[in-house]
Amino acid sequence: MSITPFRLDIPQADLDDLDDRLARTRLPRSMPPGDGCSRGVPADLVAELADHWRTKYDWRGHEAELNEFPQYTTEIDGQDVHFLQVRSPEPDALPLILTHGWPNSIVEFIRLIGPLTDPRAHGRDPGRAFHVVAPSVPGFGFSAPPRETGWTPSRVARTWVELMRRLGYDRYGAQGGDLGAYVAPEVAKAAPEHVAGVYVISGLGFPTEADVPEMSEEEQAAYARMMQQDWANGVDHHALLRAAPQTFAYGWHDSPVAALAWMLQKFHEFNAGGRPLEEAIDRDLFLTNLTLYWLTGTFGTSSWPYYDSAASAWPEGQTPVPTGVYSGPPGIRRLAERGNTIVHWPEDNPAGHHFIAMDRPDDLAADIGRFFAKVR
């Protein structure tokens, strides 16, 4: 099948429409003083960021930044797939396919691709370079929405395997976080003879209630701390998106401020690094991801992988090839090893946002290099 070059060129009318909608925003009443985020994202925060989005954020500049990466589309399994393909200047670089999370997109990797493809330019070992392929999951960004149900992580992974074959890569690594932590292991299951290793951000070995009776006191204390975190107690998006994603999509699709508030809610809940969100993730990077969702109309279609799932569960991983993680904790290694061949389990990598590629791209790139140096 053909591979077609792709370039972002959003019609100005779409940007003018976004500006007009933001200018006509109707904000709800503010919450009582002192409530913080306990009832949801505060109105003053939404108003301030919506004004920045309308008056200071420059989509055209960030569109040009995205267009610096070679982009393509191709049809696989009846699905139009959009992807970045960025080759390293190092001839012996290992191909690596990156899978983004939800509610994220290829924007997740804007700051990561350079350190991965050209470590020499970033003061690191050129022997740990990668040729990067970063597809948009079907229903996200510029990949077309699936025409049918059943686009589970395993089906997405089989699509990635075909994409890598089509690009001429016989041996490669697979990386993912969030939704990508479910997809990347499935890539290895689908083509173990081609995958050198699987690297996930975190999530392996997370205990469930069934594991608690067999856990040590120290492990139980760590589990209790984990369950007190914002990301474990916020809006249960798994349940929401399994229940009625179409209903919520009307608001996300029609009101940019509804979309902004929803994205702020999840990015705040996912902020586990101990720093304010605006310090962890540059606000214009956050807005580029949000704007991409808005301009492609994919708030609803990006929920479909969750709608197709039966229940919420932690990633299980895979056994055919070696596995590494950016952060072992709060997972427990002995639990992770029930379903993975763990060869890389650091406990001291710098903490950061759930979307660590947006927060600490250099630290993440260095650790990805350390893992694949062990398995390539």
Side-chain angles (χ1 to χ4, degrees), residues 9-238:
D9 187 15
I10 298 299
Q12 185 60 40
D14 291 355
L15 301 178
D16 293 341
D17 175 69
L18 172 59
D19 181 86
D20 179 64
R21 289 170 186 262
L22 286 169
R24 293 185 294 107
T25 295
R26 292 179 61 213
L27 288 171
R29 294 181 180 180
S30 297
M31 297 177 291
D35 271 5
C37 292
S38 62
R39 302 190 190 192
V41 183
D44 57 350
L45 173 61
V46 173
E48 190 275 330
L49 195 53
D51 179 71
H52 178 88
W53 193 9
R54 186 175 73 87
T55 64
K56 298 181 179 66
Y57 174 77
D58 175 21
W59 164 259
R60 290 300 185 198
H62 294 282
E63 182 183 67
E65 182 182 15
L66 285 166
N67 278 329
E68 291 177 5
F69 301 113
Q71 301 176 57
Y72 306 88
T73 60
T74 190
E75 182 182 333
I76 302 174
D77 193 11
Q79 176 70 38
D80 292 330
V81 175
H82 165 262
F83 63 96
L84 311 182
Q85 184 188 21
V86 187
R87 291 189 61 83
S88 170
E90 307 296 338
D92 295 328
L94 178 71
L96 178 66
I97 186 164
L98 311 177
T99 305
H100 62 77
W102 174 97
N104 222 317
S105 64
I106 56 166
V107 172
E108 183 176 342
F109 304 126
I110 286 178
R111 309 281 171 85
L112 178 66
I113 291 174
L116 285 178
T117 56
D118 196 2
R120 187 192 301 271
H122 291 79
R124 293 203 307 277
D125 182 0
R128 296 182 178 182
F130 299 90
H131 300 306
V132 168
V133 177
S136 300
V137 174
F140 290 71
F142 294 101
S143 280
R147 298 184 177 92
E148 58 192 4
T149 59
W151 278 87
T152 60
S154 60
R155 187 169 180 182
V156 174
R158 293 194 297 273
T159 303
W160 288 184
V161 169
E162 170 57 21
L163 175 61
M164 296 302 274
R165 185 202 66 79
R166 195 170 293 181
L167 294 174
Y169 296 130
D170 183 64
R171 182 170 172 79
Y172 49 87
Q175 183 273 343
D178 191 79
L179 176 60
Y182 297 83
V183 174
E186 294 295 329
V187 173
K189 291 180 184 179
E193 68 279 13
H194 296 292
V195 178
V198 169
Y199 182 97
V200 300
I201 301 304
S202 188
L204 299 179
F206 278 20
T208 65
E209 288 288 346
D211 296 313
V212 172
E214 300 178 358
M215 291 162 55
S216 67
E217 289 186 11
E218 182 180 356
E219 290 172 342
Q220 289 187 25
Y223 175 68
R225 289 193 297 271
M226 180 181 84
M227 298 310 295
Q228 292 171 358
Q229 298 297 311
D230 286 348
W231 56 266
N233 292 284
V235 175
D236 186 349
H237 58 273
H238 287 266

Side-chain angles (χ1 to χ4, degrees), residues 203-207 211 219 315-325 328 331-347:
L204 299 179
F206 278 20
D211 296 313
E219 290 172 342
E316 294 182 355
Q318 50 78 43
T319 56
V321 306
T323 291
V325 301
I332 299 171
R333 182 165 183 165
R334 66 175 180 83
L335 299 182
E337 287 177 336
R338 294 183 300 194
N340 297 270
T341 303
I342 303 290
V343 301
H344 186 75
W345 185 268
E347 300 187 1

